[in-house]
């Protein structure tokens, strides 16, 4: 695990749980997210198109059994859903920006329902340039319209049944058992819990999984595998 990321994440979690240090905690979170997103940008700069749909750990147990393209899709679809539809009662960037067409995706969900070669096939279709633009827009909106505006007193806010039913009505989570648990998982958390997962730790887990895939694809080393400890 990347020690810098882990240490920043632990620092953030401690700070947002303390009213005195809450604002510092948000700053720490945004710093962590910026560092992580630069790693994501490096994938798009350093890797070729086929690398994004490669699935070298297809039978493994862990986040690395997916693809890089899927992992980026998954991180930012979930964040878009959580921040805009669940927390803010806003329209998702995915819909306002017509990203289903722009990214050339045949799904609007988080992708949890996809397995093995379904993940690889899905990844091959995606327009990677548009995927990065989408990810960047989601990150920016989360930080500017949510993280920079919340207060310590917002941390214990929770969500009622109507919120869960609203998410269900959007069809952004598959109704398959492999996916539909997400609605309960999200709606049973308060704001502080959602900041911890998926707005921070979720990023770390999937980005580190991407780096592990890159290490497998490039066993002699690659720019995007610097400072990785597997």
């Amino acid at each position: 695990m990347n020690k810098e990321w882990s240490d920043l994440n632990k620092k953030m979690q401690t700070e947002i749980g303390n009213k005195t240090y809450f604002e510092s905690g948000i700053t720490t979170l945004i710093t962590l997210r910026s560092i992580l997103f630069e790693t994501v940008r490096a994938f798009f700069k350093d890797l070729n198109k086929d690398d994004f749909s490669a699935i070298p750990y297809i039978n493994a147990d862990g986040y690395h059994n997916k693809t890089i393209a899927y992992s980026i899709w998954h991180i930012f679809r979930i964040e878009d859903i959580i921040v805009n539809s669940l927390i803010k009662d806003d329209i998702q960037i995915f819909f306002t920006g017509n990203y289903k067409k722009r990214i050339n995706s045949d799904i609007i969900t988080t992708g949890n329902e996809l397995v093995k070669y379904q993940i690889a096939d899905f990844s091959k279709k995606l327009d990677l340039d548009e995927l990065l633009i989408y990810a960047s827009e989601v990150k920016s909106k989360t930080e500017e319209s949510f993280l920079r505006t919340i207060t310590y007193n917002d941390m214990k806010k929770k969500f009622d049944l109507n919120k869960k039913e609203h998410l269900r009505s959007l069809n952004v989570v598959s109704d398959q058992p492999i996916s539909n648990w997400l609605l309960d998982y999200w709606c049973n958390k308060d704001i502080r819990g959602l900041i911890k997962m998926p707005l921070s730790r979720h990023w770390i887990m999937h980005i580190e999984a991407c780096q592990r895939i890159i290490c497998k694809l490039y066993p002699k080393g690659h720019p995007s595998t610097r400072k990785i400890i597997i």
Side-chain angles (χ1 to χ4, degrees):
M1 177 176 287
N2 184 298
K3 188 176 187 304
E4 179 188 16
W5 301 353
S6 178
D7 288 348
L8 281 171
N9 191 49
K10 290 175 184 176
K11 181 174 184 284
M12 176 274 295
Q13 291 192 31
T14 299
E15 289 173 335
I16 65 169
N18 186 308
K19 189 172 185 177
T20 301
Y21 299 106
F22 176 76
E23 290 186 7
S24 177
I26 295 300
T27 299
T28 301
L29 173 58
I30 291 173
T31 298
L32 170 62
R33 286 164 55 91
S34 295
I35 292 169
L36 290 168
F37 199 74
E38 284 307 305
T39 302
V40 171
R41 285 189 185 279
F43 296 158
F44 288 86
K45 177 183 177 183
D46 297 336
L47 302 175
N48 64 56
K49 182 175 174 57
D50 289 342
D51 293 338
F52 282 86
S53 57
I55 190 164
Y57 290 105
I58 191 168
N59 293 314
D61 183 16
Y63 291 98
H64 57 297
N65 68 5
K66 321 238 182 251
T67 68
I68 296 168
Y70 170 93
S71 298
I72 296 166
W73 167 276
H74 180 73
I75 290 169
F76 293 98
R77 279 303 290 127
I78 285 182
E79 182 161 314
D80 196 3
I81 293 165
I82 289 296
V83 174
N84 294 306
S85 291
L86 179 60
I87 298 174
K88 291 174 53 59
D89 291 318
D90 201 354
I91 301 174
Q92 292 169 38
I93 290 172
F94 186 79
F95 297 123
T96 60
N98 194 27
Y99 276 107
K100 183 177 189 294
K101 180 178 180 180
R102 288 170 60 179
I103 298 175
N104 194 35
S105 170
D106 52 10
I107 63 172
I108 66 171
T109 64
T110 63
N112 284 70
E113 70 276 16
L114 303 179
V115 295
K116 296 193 174 184
Y117 288 110
Q118 292 176 332
I119 293 173
D121 291 342
F122 164 76
S123 301
K124 290 174 185 176
K125 300 174 185 176
L126 302 184
D127 184 312
L128 299 177
D129 292 335
E130 293 292 344
L131 178 60
L132 179 58
I133 293 170
Y134 173 63
S136 181
E137 286 195 28
V138 171
K139 173 186 179 293
S140 295
K141 185 175 180 184
T142 293
E143 292 168 4
E144 296 306 318
S145 68
F146 173 54
L147 294 179
R148 295 188 189 277
T149 66
I150 56 173
T151 68
Y152 178 78
N153 292 334
D154 294 323
M155 289 297 95
K156 293 184 179 180
K157 178 183 177 181
K158 300 195 76 170
F159 307 96
D160 59 23
L161 181 61
N162 290 333
K163 284 283 193 175
K164 182 163 71 173
E165 292 308 312
H166 173 59
L167 288 185
R168 196 188 308 277
S169 73
L170 296 174
N171 297 315
V172 291
V173 175
S174 167
D175 60 4
Q176 296 181 29
I178 197 173
S179 303
N180 63 12
W181 59 271
L182 281 170
L183 297 177
D184 286 330
Y185 179 80
W186 295 334
C187 293
N188 286 337
K189 289 184 176 292
D190 56 16
I191 296 291
R192 183 182 176 191
L194 291 173
I195 286 175
K196 291 181 178 181
M197 184 78 168
L199 300 189
S200 54
R201 185 166 173 264
H202 191 239
W203 282 41
I204 293 173
M205 293 188 301
H206 279 284
I207 292 170
E208 287 188 333
C210 290
Q211 290 182 318
R212 188 165 184 177
I213 291 169
I214 296 167
C215 284
K216 184 70 171 179
L217 296 177
Y218 295 91
K220 293 184 178 180
H222 190 279
S224 289
T225 63
R226 286 188 292 256
K227 299 182 180 178
I228 299 175
I229 300 174
I230 301 295

